Amino acid sequence: MRIDVLTLFPNMFSGVFNESILKRAQEIGSVQYNVVNFREYANNKHNTVDDYPYGGGAGMVLKPEPIFNAVESIKEDTKSTPRVILLCPQGERYTQKKAEELAKEAHLLFICGHYEGYDERIREHLVTDEISIGDFVLTGGELGAMVVIDSVVRLLPGVLGNEESPVQDSFSTGLLEHPHYTRPAEFRGMKVPDVLLSGNHKLIDEWRRKQSLKRTYERRPDLLQSFNLTDQDKKWLEEIKKERSLF
């Protein structure tokens, strides 16, 4: 996969792309990063990328020319048609399902804005996806792009090492993930559940499934509304609800 990022602050990505999983993904050849300062594509001697909004109002608006020029240059150089992703509060709420969809692409291009907003022609004629990472406002799109890129790159084959890891993540299955424990079996009087020490994989799988259902019911019951429950899931969920009603 190739990932291009258009930003006015390219140095923000240096540490992110050169640490941990994102660095490993690049080292093994799963992804190639290219960070571009779109100020370099401005059409004036001062490299101006923003201007006052027509009709008046607070703040400055990103001009169309630098971003159009940068996107067109990347398309010409790569001879490809990337998914062009705009990070903005008006975009669709980002989900694991969207991450899985984007992970199937060969080329992603992220546009990170600043100031009051974008010239609308950027949305209408360049962008394929508008994404918001939550109902809050950041000073720019860089942090949002980092979040999306991290969530996508970790899904690429071979990046995590264990192919089962992303499959079992919270939201990937439709449920929140079950609790995890490791050594020691007892710590300050707090013990690991006996079933996890039993070696009985059938019982362990059942315990984990029930714990996922319980955690989802307690913390994100909205997820259960669209989840396809098995008959056994329904029985466990009834047990969970009865247990809750006793307290």
Side-chain angles (χ1 to χ4, degrees):
M1 173 184 283
R2 174 178 170 125
I3 294 178
D4 289 278
V5 181
L6 303 188
T7 173
L8 294 175
F9 303 94
N11 289 340
M12 290 181 67
F13 291 86
S14 298
V16 174
F17 289 162
N18 287 287
E19 297 289 346
S20 189
I21 296 298
L22 294 187
K23 179 182 180 182
R24 168 185 163 81
Q26 185 168 224
E27 289 177 338
I28 65 175
S30 292
V31 66
Q32 174 190 356
Y33 307 116
N34 180 46
V35 182
V36 175
N37 186 339
F38 61 83
R39 190 180 295 280
E40 297 173 1
Y41 289 85
N43 289 340
N44 57 81
K45 64 179 181 180
H46 299 297
N47 292 331
T48 304
V49 296
D50 62 315
D51 209 334
Y52 295 103
Y54 279 123
M60 304 290 279
V61 176
L62 284 173
K63 294 164 63 66
E65 306 100 303
I67 294 178
F68 269 79
N69 291 342
V71 171
E72 289 166 356
S73 176
I74 290 170
K75 287 182 177 180
E76 177 63 27
D77 289 344
T78 61
K79 307 300 181 186
S80 68
T81 303
R83 290 276 285 269
V84 180
I85 300 165
L86 192 71
L87 281 304
C88 67
Q90 302 172 33
E92 68 173 288
R93 180 81 70 87
Y94 192 57
T95 64
Q96 184 67 20
K97 182 179 179 181
K98 187 72 171 182
E100 292 167 359
E101 174 189 329
L102 295 178
K104 298 174 183 176
E105 297 289 334
H107 190 182
L108 302 177
L109 190 156
F110 293 83
I111 302 175
C112 307
H114 264 263
Y115 311 115
E116 184 64 22
Y118 306 90
D119 184 290
E120 190 66 17
R121 289 164 288 192
I122 295 170
R123 298 180 193 275
E124 293 177 346
H125 300 287
L126 277 184
V127 172
T128 59
D129 302 81
E130 294 185 48
I131 288 177
S132 168
I133 63 169
D135 294 341
F136 51 87
V137 179
L138 299 171
T139 56
E142 284 76 15
L143 295 177
M146 293 174 194
V147 167
V148 176
I149 291 168
D150 183 279
S151 66
V152 168
V153 170
R154 67 189 300 278
L155 296 176
L156 300 180
V159 170
L160 291 183
N162 184 347
E163 296 302 317
E164 290 298 313
S165 293
V167 176
Q168 296 175 357
D169 286 337
S170 291
F171 304 114
S172 291
T173 63
L175 301 173
L176 298 185
E177 200 169 8
H178 56 77
H180 293 277
Y181 295 89
T182 188
R183 294 175 177 81
E186 183 174 346
F187 174 68
R188 296 183 181 179
M190 297 175 285
K191 297 181 179 181
V192 172
D194 290 337
V195 64
L196 298 180
L197 307 176
S198 68
N200 187 322
H201 294 292
K202 181 176 184 298
L203 291 180
I204 291 172
D205 288 343
E206 290 177 352
W207 180 87
R208 286 175 170 169
R209 180 70 170 190
K210 187 174 181 180
Q211 290 298 313
S212 287
L213 286 166
K214 180 180 179 182
R215 184 158 286 185
T216 305
Y217 174 71
E218 293 175 344
R219 303 183 183 189
R220 288 293 305 276
D222 56 296
L223 295 176
L224 294 174
Q225 295 176 10
S226 57
F227 186 75
N228 187 21
L229 295 167
T230 66
D231 290 340
Q232 183 60 65
D233 288 337
K234 293 175 183 178
K235 291 179 181 178
W236 282 331
L237 200 53
E238 286 304 312
E239 292 176 12
I240 291 166
K241 291 177 180 179
K242 288 179 181 177
E243 291 170 1
R244 290 275 294 174
S245 66
L246 297 176
F247 295 97

